[in-house]
Amino acid sequence: MSTIARNQWYVAAYGREVGRELFSRTICEEPILFWRTEAGEAVAMSDRCVHRRYPLSEAPSRLDGDKVVCGYHGFTYGSDGGCVFVPGQARVPRTARLKSYQVVEQDSFVWVWIADPQNPEQGDPTRIPRAPWMDSPDYTVVSGMEPIDCNYGLLVDNLMDLSHETYLHGGYIGTPEVAETPITTEIDEDRNVIYVSRHMDDAECPPFYSKSTGIEGRITRWQDIEYTPPCLYLLHSRIAPIGAPLPGDDGSDPHAFHSEIVYAITPSTENSTLDFWAVARDFAVGDDAVTTFLAENNRTVVMQDVVALNVLQKALDTEKDGYQELSINIDAGGLGARRILKKLVDAPQAATAAAVG
């Protein structure tokens, strides 16, 4: 049974990745072709020609104005996916149409709606969760994407329990206090959002922050997670020297340094994941050296996760049926995320069963 939730919005790319070159990415086991019209609108359609299934992203396929020309036999498609030309005949078969996808560009991301084939719904753009720091002039952003050879649920588990920073990311973002500090967890079943908070009152300042903020000595460190399944994970990070005033009642917090850590967790297939990551900061906004440092260090941290999750997936693939996990207090957020993800996976099937019944 599939673990991928459908009738959902997923991040398919950064806006900067989609241009006037044909670009393909597999999202939820569907190969999708992306490109921009001459007017700049992002388009998404099936990356398989209807004739002999040739990938339209592969040369010598090309764009001709706002039409895609298949490089194998010349079948040509408009921006709505409809075929407008076939070789050797004037009549275009009625079924000569590519699957097209709803696309929304928001907060530097290109979101695509993945419908359930048995019970498709129209995507509602207002349901897309926000990450407004990604294109805010008040923040400087570094970002990237790494593929992982694991089920996307393993990346969700990883991000919901940040105690692993102490062990996996020591020397970068991990310190002993992350694992030692208890968490608080809130699960909003109505809105399908999970919140996990870890507030450290007296913590070592890891190099990731000491070298980017200039703080010397110990800090207060807040990690507030907000995960909206299936795709968008936010980590609101607050760093301040010990003794600095807390945020004001009006939300102002001028004595702290803030980073908004953004992950878009997109399943490519059942056992491969697209890990879109970004760090948006409100300090040293114009400092190129800090930007370079954070880009390099955060990618190192991400790659440590990639290596660990690749190993974990291989280990799980060899486990016999019925193996048992042990969960503890720090897993509350991850277990809540698993429960909501399963609800989202089951929802289209439940709707189909209700319609039949």
Side-chain angles (χ1 to χ4, degrees):
M1 178 179 293
S2 175
T3 64
I4 297 173
R6 290 177 169 80
N7 286 341
Q8 300 292 329
W9 291 101
Y10 288 97
V11 169
Y14 291 104
R16 64 177 181 262
E17 294 184 279
V18 181
R20 289 290 294 166
E21 297 291 331
L22 298 174
F23 168 80
S24 183
R25 190 157 273 162
T26 298
I27 309 294
C28 299
E29 300 189 324
E30 300 185 23
I32 303 177
L33 181 74
F34 297 91
W35 52 281
R36 289 191 187 275
T37 65
E38 292 181 325
E41 179 183 359
V43 175
M45 58 182 59
S46 174
D47 186 27
R48 295 292 184 268
C49 181
V50 298
H51 178 229
R52 290 294 181 264
R53 309 300 294 166
Y54 189 80
L56 296 168
S57 57
E58 293 292 332
S61 299
R62 59 186 175 84
L63 278 174
D64 178 10
D66 284 344
K67 298 187 291 292
V68 177
V69 181
C70 177
Y72 193 17
H73 292 104
F75 278 64
T76 302
Y77 304 90
S79 60
D80 64 351
C83 185
V84 297
F85 170 80
V86 299
Q89 62 186 61
R91 186 183 67 85
V92 175
R94 179 178 54 83
T95 57
R97 170 172 290 276
L98 299 174
K99 180 179 180 179
S100 61
Y101 294 81
Q102 285 181 263
V103 172
V104 171
E105 288 197 70
Q106 180 173 283
D107 302 330
S108 297
F109 288 129
V110 176
W111 292 82
V112 62
W113 175 257
I114 302 297
D116 184 83
Q118 303 302 318
N119 189 40
E121 295 179 1
Q122 187 80 357
D124 179 358
T126 65
R127 287 176 50 192
I128 299 175
R130 298 304 305 267
W133 318 277
M134 294 290 291
D135 55 11
S136 168
D138 298 325
Y139 287 78
T140 296
V141 180
V142 296
S143 60
M145 191 281 287
E146 299 297 334
I148 312 179
D149 294 328
C150 76
N151 180 273
Y152 76 120
L154 296 186
L155 179 56
V156 174
D157 281 349
N158 171 279
L159 294 172
M160 296 303 291
D161 172 20
L162 295 179
S163 67
H164 78 275
E165 289 183 349
T166 299
Y167 307 99
L168 190 60
H169 305 311
Y172 292 92
I173 58 173
T175 67
E177 295 81 11
V178 181
E180 294 168 358
T181 304
I183 61 169
T184 61
T185 304
E186 177 187 349
I187 301 173
D188 188 331
E189 299 280 0
D190 295 328
R191 295 179 56 243
N192 289 339
V193 182
I194 302 101
Y195 303 92
V196 178
S197 292
R198 177 183 276 106
H199 287 190
M200 294 160 268
D201 296 328
D202 183 352
E204 176 186 339
C205 190
F208 187 86
Y209 288 113
S210 64
K211 293 182 179 180
S212 60
T213 66
I215 294 178
E216 298 180 357
R218 297 180 71 81
I219 58 172
T220 58
R221 182 179 183 184
W222 293 3
Q223 294 176 323
D224 293 304
I225 295 169
E226 179 182 351
Y227 173 49
T228 305
C231 192
L232 193 67
Y233 170 99
L234 308 175
L235 170 60
H236 311 293
S237 175
R238 178 185 185 272
I239 302 292
I242 286 180
L246 295 176
D249 293 338
D250 61 356
S252 61
D253 193 19
H255 303 286
F257 300 84
H258 305 90
S259 297
E260 299 293 343
I261 317 298
V262 180
Y263 282 87
I265 306 165
T266 299
S268 181
T269 66
E270 283 289 340
N271 281 337
S272 62
T273 300
L274 305 177
D275 180 3
F276 295 88
W277 59 267
V279 179
R281 70 181 192 274
D282 69 354
F283 57 91
V285 171
D287 192 322
D288 291 341
V290 172
T291 297
T292 299
F293 171 79
L294 290 178
E296 293 175 350
N297 271 250
N298 202 70
R299 185 175 185 275
T300 297
V301 169
V302 169
M303 290 307 299
Q304 289 172 332
D305 282 335
V306 168
V307 171
L309 293 174
N310 286 346
V311 169
L312 178 57
Q313 183 65 64
K314 288 181 179 179
L316 293 176
D317 289 342
T318 66
E319 291 282 359
K320 296 180 180 179
D321 291 342
Y323 72 90
Q324 295 294 313
E325 285 185 328
L326 173 65
S327 295
I328 58 176
N329 291 341
I330 59 175
D331 300 307
L335 294 175
R338 289 184 185 185
R339 186 168 66 250
I340 290 178
L341 282 170
K342 186 177 187 307
K343 180 173 69 174
L344 297 179
V345 170
D346 292 345
Q349 288 85 345
T352 299
V356 173

